[in-house]
Amino acid sequence: MRVVGYLLRNPLSLLGILVLVGFVAVAALAPVIAPPEPYQTSPYEIPRSGFRATPQPPSARALLGTTEGQFDIYYGLVWGTRTAFKIGLGVVLISTLIGAVVGAIAAFYGGMVDEVLMRIVDVFLAVPFLIAAMVLTTLLGKGIGPMTMALTAFGWMNYARVIRSEILRVKELDYVKAARSYGTRDARLLLRHILPNAFFPVLVLATMMTGSMVLTASALSFLGVGVEPGYADWGQLISYSRNWIVGRGDSPFRYWYTLVFPGTAIFLFVLSWSLLGDALRDILDPRLRT
């Protein structure tokens, strides 16, 4: 009831959750609302209605129009929702796991272990994230798997720092010292008594970073080093609109649909995760509740 009351008092948080639920529904119902064509080798392959370079406006055949190369924008948006969840949740889950392990070991044992692990974190943080991900994706090749690996390789450090700071605080509390005095083993002490009480800031960070990872993945696809050509991905749809953002001199907004629809999808997806993260922070943090 307290959570429901908070959401009712904070319409922006409720709006973010509703938008995110809408994206989940679209992803779940993608085969129904945008059924693949019989000739497609994969449901993530965007169908084409020709090969002309000039985009075509919304019509009965293409509800939201087509991009350069006649890729169906509506189909790309619907199946791109699944791509966004795959990348966002996949990168965040793996990054959280790696960061939690590194941060927990560094904070729990301290000393030289802490010093070495945190210096490794600092080295990774010194590398520009987008440039590093772009270089690694180029080396690994195009596709969801290589892009997820590249984003994860340079996206786990903040989780390590957050979990480390929380464990340094929690392990000095009286109940942890009492458990240690009873001879509790390190693994049990860390997993049962410390991590559960130090994990909520990481959960909030992970929620907010899910949208950011999708935004970065879209940037990689826009730059041509993300997914394969024709793959259902919002960033790729915007990439196909780059030559048509400004139309002809007498009609500069003639091809607005090539940019507005995928851009709006990315904006709402990132915004919904950010609002959800704010809601989780306010609900789970006892300091904010009081």
Side-chain angles (χ1 to χ4, degrees), residues 8-9 20 30 32 41 91 96 103 112 124-125 174 198 221 238-241 271 284 290:
L8 293 178
R9 294 192 306 270
L20 187 58
V32 177
T41 58
V91 171
T96 301
M112 186 57 68
F124 274 87
L125 285 173
D174 291 340
S221 294
I238 295 181
S239 177
Y240 289 140
S241 73
L271 179 64
L284 297 177
T290 56

Short mmCIF file of all heavy atoms in Angstrom, two decimals, residues 8-9 20 30 32 41 91 96 103 112 124-125 174 198 221 238-241 271 284 290:
data_model
loop_
_atom_site.label_atom_id
_atom_site.label_comp_id
_atom_site.label_asym_id
_atom_site.label_seq_id
_atom_site.Cartn_x
_atom_site.Cartn_y
_atom_site.Cartn_z
N LEU A 8 0.81 7.09 -6.59
CA LEU A 8 -0.32 7.99 -6.79
C LEU A 8 0.05 9.44 -6.49
O LEU A 8 -0.51 10.37 -7.07
CB LEU A 8 -1.51 7.55 -5.93
CG LEU A 8 -2.14 6.21 -6.31
CD1 LEU A 8 -3.26 5.86 -5.35
CD2 LEU A 8 -2.66 6.24 -7.75
N ARG A 9 0.99 9.62 -5.57
CA ARG A 9 1.42 10.99 -5.24
C ARG A 9 2.48 11.50 -6.22
O ARG A 9 2.78 12.70 -6.22
CB ARG A 9 1.99 11.04 -3.82
CG ARG A 9 0.99 10.77 -2.72
CD ARG A 9 1.56 11.14 -1.36
NE ARG A 9 2.83 10.47 -1.11
CZ ARG A 9 2.93 9.27 -0.53
NH1 ARG A 9 1.83 8.62 -0.17
NH2 ARG A 9 4.12 8.73 -0.32
N LEU A 20 6.65 2.05 -19.69
CA LEU A 20 7.48 0.85 -19.75
C LEU A 20 6.62 -0.40 -19.93
O LEU A 20 6.97 -1.30 -20.69
CB LEU A 20 8.33 0.73 -18.49
CG LEU A 20 9.37 -0.38 -18.47
CD1 LEU A 20 10.34 -0.22 -19.64
CD2 LEU A 20 10.13 -0.37 -17.15
N ALA A 30 4.71 -8.61 -30.40
CA ALA A 30 5.31 -8.26 -31.69
C ALA A 30 4.88 -9.20 -32.82
O ALA A 30 4.55 -8.73 -33.92
CB ALA A 30 6.83 -8.22 -31.57
N VAL A 32 2.18 -10.61 -33.27
CA VAL A 32 0.76 -10.41 -33.57
C VAL A 32 0.54 -9.07 -34.26
O VAL A 32 -0.18 -8.98 -35.27
CB VAL A 32 -0.09 -10.50 -32.28
CG1 VAL A 32 -1.56 -10.20 -32.58
CG2 VAL A 32 0.08 -11.85 -31.63
N THR A 41 14.03 -14.48 -43.38
CA THR A 41 14.84 -15.52 -42.76
C THR A 41 14.86 -15.39 -41.24
O THR A 41 15.19 -16.35 -40.54
CB THR A 41 16.28 -15.45 -43.28
OG1 THR A 41 16.83 -14.13 -43.02
CG2 THR A 41 16.32 -15.71 -44.79
N VAL A 91 22.97 -6.26 -21.13
CA VAL A 91 24.18 -5.53 -20.72
C VAL A 91 24.14 -5.21 -19.24
O VAL A 91 25.13 -5.39 -18.52
CB VAL A 91 24.32 -4.24 -21.55
CG1 VAL A 91 25.44 -3.37 -20.99
CG2 VAL A 91 24.59 -4.57 -23.00
N THR A 96 26.11 -5.71 -13.95
CA THR A 96 25.82 -5.69 -12.51
C THR A 96 26.49 -6.86 -11.81
O THR A 96 27.05 -6.71 -10.72
CB THR A 96 24.30 -5.74 -12.27
OG1 THR A 96 23.69 -4.62 -12.92
CG2 THR A 96 23.98 -5.69 -10.80
N GLY A 103 33.37 -5.26 -6.79
CA GLY A 103 33.19 -4.30 -5.70
C GLY A 103 33.08 -4.96 -4.35
O GLY A 103 33.62 -4.46 -3.35
N MET A 112 45.45 -4.51 0.08
CA MET A 112 46.03 -4.59 -1.25
C MET A 112 45.02 -5.07 -2.29
O MET A 112 45.04 -4.63 -3.44
CB MET A 112 47.23 -5.54 -1.23
CG MET A 112 47.99 -5.59 -2.56
SD MET A 112 48.59 -3.97 -3.10
CE MET A 112 49.83 -3.64 -1.82
N PHE A 124 39.80 1.44 -16.45
CA PHE A 124 38.66 1.29 -17.36
C PHE A 124 37.84 2.58 -17.43
O PHE A 124 37.35 2.95 -18.51
CB PHE A 124 37.78 0.13 -16.92
CG PHE A 124 38.22 -1.21 -17.43
CD1 PHE A 124 39.16 -1.96 -16.75
CD2 PHE A 124 37.70 -1.72 -18.61
CE1 PHE A 124 39.58 -3.18 -17.23
CE2 PHE A 124 38.10 -2.94 -19.09
CZ PHE A 124 39.05 -3.68 -18.40
N LEU A 125 37.68 3.27 -16.31
CA LEU A 125 36.91 4.51 -16.31
C LEU A 125 37.61 5.62 -17.08
O LEU A 125 36.95 6.56 -17.55
CB LEU A 125 36.66 4.97 -14.87
CG LEU A 125 35.61 4.18 -14.08
CD1 LEU A 125 35.58 4.64 -12.63
CD2 LEU A 125 34.22 4.37 -14.72
N ASP A 174 26.78 -2.93 13.56
CA ASP A 174 26.92 -3.83 14.72
C ASP A 174 26.52 -5.26 14.41
O ASP A 174 27.17 -6.20 14.88
CB ASP A 174 26.06 -3.29 15.88
CG ASP A 174 26.62 -1.99 16.45
OD1 ASP A 174 27.82 -1.72 16.23
OD2 ASP A 174 25.85 -1.25 17.11
N ALA A 198 23.13 -3.97 1.05
CA ALA A 198 23.94 -2.99 0.34
C ALA A 198 23.61 -2.94 -1.15
O ALA A 198 24.26 -2.21 -1.90
CB ALA A 198 25.43 -3.31 0.52
N SER A 221 24.70 1.75 -33.64
CA SER A 221 24.02 1.38 -34.89
C SER A 221 23.96 2.56 -35.84
O SER A 221 24.09 2.40 -37.06
CB SER A 221 22.61 0.87 -34.58
OG SER A 221 22.66 -0.34 -33.85
N ILE A 238 17.18 5.29 -37.48
CA ILE A 238 17.62 6.68 -37.54
C ILE A 238 18.80 6.83 -38.49
O ILE A 238 18.95 7.85 -39.17
CB ILE A 238 17.97 7.19 -36.13
CG1 ILE A 238 16.71 7.22 -35.26
CG2 ILE A 238 18.58 8.58 -36.18
CD1 ILE A 238 16.94 7.73 -33.86
N SER A 239 19.65 5.82 -38.55
CA SER A 239 20.78 5.86 -39.47
C SER A 239 20.30 5.97 -40.91
O SER A 239 20.89 6.70 -41.72
CB SER A 239 21.65 4.60 -39.30
OG SER A 239 22.70 4.59 -40.22
N TYR A 240 19.21 5.27 -41.23
CA TYR A 240 18.67 5.34 -42.59
C TYR A 240 18.05 6.71 -42.89
O TYR A 240 17.80 7.02 -44.06
CB TYR A 240 17.61 4.25 -42.79
CG TYR A 240 18.18 2.85 -42.87
CD1 TYR A 240 17.52 1.78 -42.26
CD2 TYR A 240 19.37 2.60 -43.54
CE1 TYR A 240 18.04 0.50 -42.32
CE2 TYR A 240 19.89 1.32 -43.59
CZ TYR A 240 19.22 0.27 -42.99
OH TYR A 240 19.75 -1.00 -43.06
N SER A 241 17.78 7.49 -41.86
CA SER A 241 17.17 8.81 -42.08
C SER A 241 18.19 9.94 -42.14
O SER A 241 17.82 11.08 -42.34
CB SER A 241 16.16 9.10 -40.96
OG SER A 241 16.83 9.40 -39.75
N LEU A 271 13.41 7.49 -21.09
CA LEU A 271 12.71 8.26 -20.05
C LEU A 271 11.99 7.34 -19.08
O LEU A 271 12.00 7.58 -17.86
CB LEU A 271 11.73 9.23 -20.70
CG LEU A 271 10.90 10.09 -19.75
CD1 LEU A 271 11.81 11.03 -18.95
CD2 LEU A 271 9.85 10.89 -20.52
N LEU A 284 12.80 2.58 -1.99
CA LEU A 284 13.68 1.64 -1.29
C LEU A 284 14.63 2.31 -0.31
O LEU A 284 15.08 1.65 0.64
CB LEU A 284 14.50 0.83 -2.31
CG LEU A 284 13.70 -0.07 -3.26
CD1 LEU A 284 14.64 -0.74 -4.24
CD2 LEU A 284 12.90 -1.11 -2.48
N THR A 290 12.22 8.71 5.32
CA THR A 290 12.03 9.45 6.57
C THR A 290 12.13 10.95 6.37
O THR A 290 11.77 11.69 7.26
CB THR A 290 13.13 9.03 7.57
OG1 THR A 290 14.43 9.25 6.99
CG2 THR A 290 12.97 7.57 7.96
#
